[in-house]
Amino acid sequence: MSTLPSENSIEDACSRSFWMPGNYQPTVKRTEYAFQACNDIVACFQERARVERQYAQQLSEWSNKWKPVVDSSPLYGSLLKAWQCFLSSADRLASLHASICRSLVSEDGDRVRTWQKDTFHKKLFGGFKESQDIEMGFTRAQKPWAKRLKKLDKARRAYHKVSRKEQAAREREEHSQGNPDVAIDKQKKIQEERELAQQEAEKVRARYEKVLEEVNRYAPRYMEEMESIFDQSQDEERKRIVFLKQAFLSIHKHLDITNNESVRAVYNELHNTLMAIDEHEDLRWWKNTYGPGMPTDWPHFQEWMAEKKTKKGKKEVEKKGTTERSVMIGGVRVRALYDYVGQETDELSFKAGEEFLKIEDEDDQGWCRGMKDGGCEGLYPANYVEVV
């Protein structure tokens, strides 16, 4: 159930009013509060920058820890690439969060510090020039008003005092009337005291009303001067609010990775790599690398042939001629369809998508000889590549 505000609560509200003497102090202290807020903002987001740096370090440590485990894992094909992509994405995100850390400290923090230095000018003996100017303006505007209020309060207290005196005289008169114990002379004297108290009350009331009228006549001028100083303070505060808004927006821009193109690219690439997991291709690769699709030399009848006795020099010439006939002049450019890891020292290893030269045609067992751009040569399964 709601209740009407008491007289004391109304008086308390009036005593806290901006228009009462000295109550402009909260407005003056806004300058000091804003200066301290700048210190707190810088400290706050420097700590957030440390969080970003630590997160970047943890991402890098996590990626470096698991890279050798993933690279040597039994997974293969597109499934292995997907797992590796998580680690490479972490490396790229670590770089991004490290850049966020640098932006928060060197860009946002320095910007606030520079603005703070240019905006707030400290006095030699404490305080700020801006707040001192505002306080002096309020003091000059309130000085004549405070004098009038003091005079008014004195007149009010005098009127209330004489009113209490008149009330007491009236009560004594009412008590004496009709009381046989009070003599006529005594009643007459009490009546005269009441009349004198009434006259004095009227006189003091007139003086009180006159002082009040003077105060009310001065009030518009007082309000105009106070509002002028207050508007100056508001303008300074408006500039502070506008700047800090822009500073917060800049911090938000650096922290909001949801709109960062680099982050989108990282997660888009990761998503595409995961979607590219193809069980059919992976199983086909395993079949051709370790299963029935591997090239092999099935047993067949081999005719015995007597060794021909030839001179050493002639044998080397014939061997060289045979080699020259099997080597392809210039080679053919091919592209690997699957990853292949050489099992022997004379075999060539490569990754899916890698290009190199085929320098010898496929033999009876399904092997070709290739050469990489660096000059490395070796044998490889013919069905693992396609001509470019």
Side-chain angles (χ1 to χ4, degrees):
M1 182 175 179
S2 62
T3 58
L4 293 176
S6 65
E7 184 177 349
N8 290 335
S9 65
I10 295 175
E11 290 180 356
D12 290 342
C14 292
S15 66
R16 295 193 301 270
S17 170
F18 166 77
W19 302 105
M20 293 298 100
N23 287 358
Y24 54 77
Q25 284 298 329
T27 300
V28 173
K29 290 182 178 179
R30 282 195 300 184
T31 302
E32 181 181 345
Y33 296 154
F35 181 85
Q36 182 59 43
C38 289
N39 291 336
D40 294 340
I41 288 170
V42 172
C44 173
F45 290 103
Q46 281 181 343
E47 185 172 337
R48 175 60 186 269
R50 289 194 293 271
V51 172
E52 296 291 335
R53 184 179 68 245
Q54 292 168 359
Y55 181 53
Q57 292 173 347
Q58 290 174 347
L59 281 175
S60 297
E61 292 172 358
W62 174 78
S63 176
N64 293 333
K65 173 185 176 182
W66 283 96
K67 273 181 182 177
V69 177
V70 174
D71 292 341
S72 60
S73 74
L75 297 185
Y76 56 90
S78 59
L79 204 59
L80 177 60
K81 289 181 181 178
W83 195 358
Q84 291 170 333
C85 192
F86 277 104
L87 304 182
S88 61
S89 298
D91 290 334
R92 293 166 65 182
L93 289 175
S95 299
L96 172 67
H97 285 280
S99 69
I100 292 176
C101 170
R102 291 190 295 269
S103 297
L104 290 175
V105 174
S106 62
E107 186 174 336
D108 296 321
D110 290 350
R111 181 185 181 191
V112 174
R113 285 295 190 199
T114 301
W115 178 83
Q116 183 189 41
K117 182 178 179 181
D118 295 340
T119 303
F120 302 94
H121 303 88
K122 289 187 175 181
K123 300 290 290 182
L124 183 61
F125 299 104
F128 299 92
K129 180 181 181 300
E130 292 75 19
S131 58
Q132 186 182 50
D133 292 344
I134 295 297
E135 185 171 18
M136 289 179 63
F138 280 134
T139 302
R140 283 193 297 266
Q142 271 196 354
K143 188 174 181 179
W145 175 256
K147 288 182 178 180
R148 285 171 169 78
L149 285 183
K150 187 176 181 180
K151 185 178 179 181
L152 179 64
D153 184 63
K154 184 178 180 180
R156 177 186 62 82
R157 285 188 283 108
Y159 170 65
H160 289 178
K161 181 179 180 180
V162 76
S163 295
R164 287 193 296 271
K165 184 178 179 182
E166 179 193 8
Q167 177 67 20
R170 185 178 293 109
E171 289 176 354
R172 284 197 303 272
E173 182 183 19
E174 291 175 354
H175 180 71
S176 65
Q177 290 177 353
N179 188 346
D181 296 333
V182 181
I184 300 298
D185 294 340
K186 183 66 174 177
Q187 292 183 3
K188 186 176 181 181
K189 185 178 180 180
I190 291 174
Q191 182 180 0
E192 290 174 354
E193 289 177 354
R194 192 269 304 165
E195 291 174 352
L196 289 174
Q198 183 177 356
Q199 292 173 5
E200 185 181 3
E202 291 174 355
K203 182 179 178 180
V204 175
R205 178 186 176 90
R207 189 183 305 120
Y208 177 35
E209 289 176 344
K210 182 180 179 180
V211 175
L212 179 60
E213 184 180 356
E214 291 176 359
V215 170
N216 290 334
R217 280 201 308 267
Y218 186 77
R221 177 181 173 182
Y222 166 66
M223 293 175 65
E224 181 180 357
E225 293 178 356
M226 289 290 287
E227 287 180 351
S228 175
I229 304 301
F230 183 77
D231 289 343
Q232 294 178 27
S233 175
Q234 288 288 82
D235 187 56
E236 294 297 324
E237 185 70 6
R238 180 189 61 80
K239 294 176 183 178
R240 291 192 282 263
I241 293 172
V242 169
F243 170 78
L244 291 177
K245 175 183 178 181
Q246 295 303 318
F248 283 148
L249 286 173
S250 177
I251 293 171
H252 171 267
K253 179 181 178 182
H254 292 139
L255 292 177
D256 183 13
I257 62 175
T258 60
N259 292 321
N260 189 295
E261 292 297 330
S262 299
V263 175
R264 289 181 178 178
V266 169
Y267 284 105
N268 284 340
E269 180 179 336
L270 177 58
H271 179 265
N272 292 336
T273 304
L274 298 179
M275 294 303 295
I277 296 176
D278 189 336
E279 66 275 18
H280 301 295
E281 285 298 322
D282 286 0
L283 293 174
R284 181 168 172 261
W285 177 87
W286 185 270
K287 177 181 179 181
N288 293 332
T289 304
Y290 299 107
M294 294 179 64
T296 186
D297 185 13
W298 293 102
H300 61 279
F301 183 83
Q302 296 179 355
E303 188 64 55
W304 177 85
M305 297 181 64
E307 296 182 0
K308 296 181 179 180
K309 296 181 179 180
T310 57
K311 292 182 179 181
K312 184 176 181 182
K314 183 177 179 181
K315 184 176 181 180
E316 290 179 353
V317 171
E318 289 179 353
K319 183 177 181 181
K320 182 177 180 182
T322 304
T323 302
E324 289 178 349
R325 286 194 299 271
S326 63
V327 173
M328 304 177 66
I329 299 175
V332 177
R333 198 75 178 172
V334 295
R335 181 186 296 112
L337 296 174
Y338 319 101
D339 294 348
Y340 182 73
V341 180
Q343 305 297 316
E344 303 292 342
T345 57
D346 62 343
E347 294 181 9
L348 197 64
S349 299
F350 47 77
K351 297 286 186 179
E354 187 176 352
E355 295 184 3
F356 52 89
L357 289 177
K358 179 175 74 172
I359 58 176
E360 287 187 13
D361 283 329
E362 181 179 354
D363 60 17
D364 295 338
Q365 297 180 4
W367 294 83
C368 294
R369 179 174 292 274
M371 181 174 67
K372 292 188 175 182
D373 293 340
C376 179
E377 293 186 21
L379 299 174
Y380 65 88
N383 59 349
Y384 272 53
V385 302
E386 63 179 359
V387 178
V388 177

